[in-house]
C-alpha cells in the first residue's frame, strides 16, 4: 500500500498565490488586448488628424510634423460644420427626450400591469429594433416626400425613434421589474394616488436606469447615418455624420482624409467625455436595481 505525503502548508500556500497571480496577469492581459483593439482605430484617427496633407499616409505612430491644418479645413466657413454639429445635437437630443418619455410609460405598463400577450408585445418591440435602417428608408422616403417632410428635422427624428424607443423600453422594463412593488403600495396606503406613487417613488428609484438609457439612446441617435443621409440633402439641415461623408478635397479626385479624420475626432470626443464622466452611473444603471 502506497502512502502519499501531504504537501507542506507553505508549498500549498505558495501554489495558491502563484495561481492568483497568474489569474490576475491573465485578466490584465486580456483587458489590455481588448482595450488596444477597441482604442487603436480612434488613436490612429487622432494621430492622422494632426498630420499634414503630405504626410497623411505616413505609418509612424506619431506625426512627423504636427499640424492643425485638418482642423482648419473642418471648420472652414465653406463646410459649415458647426451648423451640422448643432443639427446633430437637435436630432439626437429630441430623439432621446421623446424616446425616454414614451419608453418610461411603456416600460412601466409592461413591468407593472397585468394583461394578456405582455411577453409577446415586448418581443415584438425588441424585434423591431433588429431591422436594418435601410429596410425602412425607401418607404419612409416616399411617405415623407408626399407630406413634404424632406429636409426637415422630423424626417430624421421620427425614423430614429423607431429604433430608439425599443432600446429604451427594453432597458427600462428590465430595470423597473427589479423595483419592489411594495413601495408603491405603501405610498398609496399613505394617501398617494397612483400617479403620485409613480412620479414621487418609482421614478426617483429608476433614475439610474433612466440615465443609462438616455446616454445609450443619445449615442445611438448621434451616430445615426443612413436615415439622415436619405432624408436630408440640404447642407443647412444635415447632421455631422452626413457632413463628414460629403467633405471634398481640392479636386474631384482627391479624398480629404485629414479633414475627415479631424471631423471624426470632433464628433467622437464629446461622446467619450460624456461616457467617462458618467461611467459610474452607466454601470450602476446596467448592473444594479433599486432593491436595497
Amino acid at each position: 500500500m502506497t502512502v502519499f505525503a501531504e504537501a507542506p502548508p507553505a508549498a500549498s500556500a505558495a501554489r495558491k498565490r502563484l495561481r492568483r497571480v497568474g489569474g490576475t496577469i491573465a485578466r490584465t492581459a486580456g483587458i489590455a488586448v481588448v482595450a488596444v483593439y477597441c482604442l487603436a482605430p480612434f488613436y490612429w484617427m487622432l494621430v492622422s488628424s494632426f498630420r499634414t496633407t503630405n504626410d497623411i499616409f505616413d505609418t509612424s505612430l506619431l506625426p512627423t510634423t504636427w499640424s492643425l491644418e485638418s482642423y482648419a479645413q473642418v471648420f472652414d466657413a465653406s463646410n459649415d460644420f458647426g451648423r451640422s454639429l448643432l443639427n446633430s445635437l437637435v436630432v439626437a437630443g429630441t430623439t432621446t427626450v421623446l424616446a425616454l418619455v414614451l419608453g418610461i410609460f411603456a416600460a412601466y405598463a409592461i413591468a407593472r400591469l397585468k394583461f394578456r400577450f405582455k411577453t409577446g408585445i415586448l418581443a415584438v418591440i425588441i424585434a423591431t429594433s433588429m431591422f436594418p435602417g435601410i429596410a425602412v428608408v425607401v418607404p419612409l422616403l416616399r411617405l415623407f416626400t408626399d407630406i413634404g417632410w424632406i429636409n426637415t428635422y422630423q424626417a430624421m427624428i421620427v425614423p430614429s425613434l423607431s429604433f430608439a424607443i425599443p432600446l429604451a423600453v427594453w432597458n427600462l422594463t428590465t430595470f423597473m421589474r427589479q423595483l419592489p412593488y411594495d413601495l408603491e403600495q405603501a405610498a398609496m396606503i399613505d394617501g398617494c394616488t397612483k400617479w403620485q406613487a409613480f412620479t414621487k417613488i418609482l421614478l426617483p428609484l429608476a433614475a439610474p436606469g433612466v440615465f443609462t438609457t438616455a446616454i445609450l439612446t443619445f449615442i445611438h441617435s448621434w451616430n445615426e447615418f443612413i436615415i439622415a443621409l436619405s432624408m436630408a440633402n440640404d447642407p443647412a439641415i444635415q447632421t455631422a455624420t452626413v457632413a463628414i461623408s460629403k467633405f471634398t478635397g481640392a479636386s474631384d479626385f482627391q479624398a480629404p482624409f485629414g479633414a475627415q479624420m479631424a471631423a471624426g475626432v470632433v464628433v467622437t470626443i464629446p461622446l467619450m467625455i460624456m461616457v467617462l464622466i458618467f461611467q459610474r452611473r452607466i454601470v450602476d444603471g446596467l448592473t444594479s436595481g433599486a432593491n436595497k
Side-chain angles (χ1 to χ4, degrees):
M1 182 175 179
T2 304
V3 179
F4 296 94
E6 294 184 0
S12 178
R15 283 197 297 269
K16 290 181 180 180
R17 285 196 299 270
L18 185 61
R19 283 197 294 268
R20 285 198 298 267
V21 171
T24 302
I25 293 175
R27 287 193 296 270
T28 303
I31 294 173
V33 169
V34 173
V36 170
Y37 178 80
C38 294
L39 295 178
F42 179 76
Y43 172 77
W44 196 253
M45 181 173 66
L46 179 64
V47 169
S48 298
S49 69
F50 287 105
R51 300 186 193 275
T52 62
T53 302
N54 295 331
D55 297 335
I56 195 63
F57 294 108
D58 192 1
T59 57
S60 59
L61 293 178
L62 292 174
T64 304
T65 302
W66 291 81
S67 173
L68 295 176
E69 174 185 344
S70 297
Y71 290 93
Q73 294 176 11
V74 169
F75 290 102
D76 186 83
S78 60
N79 290 325
D80 200 13
F81 190 66
R83 177 61 183 270
S84 299
L85 288 173
L86 180 60
N87 292 335
S88 289
L89 182 61
V90 171
V91 173
T94 305
T95 301
T96 300
V97 171
L98 293 177
L100 280 181
V101 172
L102 297 175
I104 286 173
F105 289 113
Y108 177 82
I110 294 174
R112 284 290 196 257
L113 305 182
K114 295 181 180 180
F115 55 90
R116 297 178 63 185
F117 310 116
K118 181 167 64 173
T119 303
I121 291 173
L122 185 60
V124 170
I125 289 175
I126 193 60
T128 58
S129 65
M130 298 180 184
F131 288 96
I134 192 64
V136 300
V137 164
V138 175
L140 287 179
L141 187 60
R142 175 64 183 274
L143 173 64
F144 291 165
T145 300
D146 292 341
I147 64 178
W149 272 19
I150 299 299
N151 289 324
T152 61
Y153 286 130
Q154 59 265 31
M156 295 179 282
I157 293 172
V158 172
S160 295
L161 283 173
S162 64
F163 299 97
I165 290 177
L167 174 64
V169 172
W170 182 265
N171 286 340
L172 291 172
T173 299
T174 303
F175 192 84
M176 285 189 177
R177 280 176 174 170
Q178 301 175 7
L179 301 179
Y181 187 67
D182 294 343
L183 292 178
E184 288 181 86
Q185 291 181 324
M188 288 187 286
I189 291 175
D190 289 339
C192 289
T193 63
K194 191 75 173 179
W195 174 254
Q196 290 174 330
F198 172 71
T199 56
K200 295 182 179 181
I201 304 298
L202 191 66
L203 278 185
L205 291 175
V210 173
F211 194 87
T212 301
T213 303
I215 293 178
L216 296 178
T217 303
F218 184 86
I219 292 175
H220 178 273
S221 302
W222 179 271
N223 292 330
E224 200 287 317
F225 175 74
I226 188 64
I227 293 174
L229 178 65
S230 304
M231 302 301 173
N233 51 38
D234 183 0
I237 205 71
Q238 66 188 8
T239 59
T241 53
V242 177
I244 293 174
S245 69
K246 294 185 176 181
F247 280 171
T248 58
S251 66
D252 293 337
F253 302 99
Q254 179 184 1
F257 294 115
Q260 290 174 345
M261 293 291 184
V265 172
V266 173
V267 170
T268 305
I269 283 181
L271 299 181
M272 293 186 64
I273 293 175
M274 182 173 62
V275 171
L276 289 175
I277 292 176
F278 301 113
Q279 60 179 330
R280 180 173 297 179
R281 287 180 174 269
I282 295 174
V283 173
D284 290 343
L286 290 175
T287 60
S288 67
N291 196 4
K292 300 179 180 178

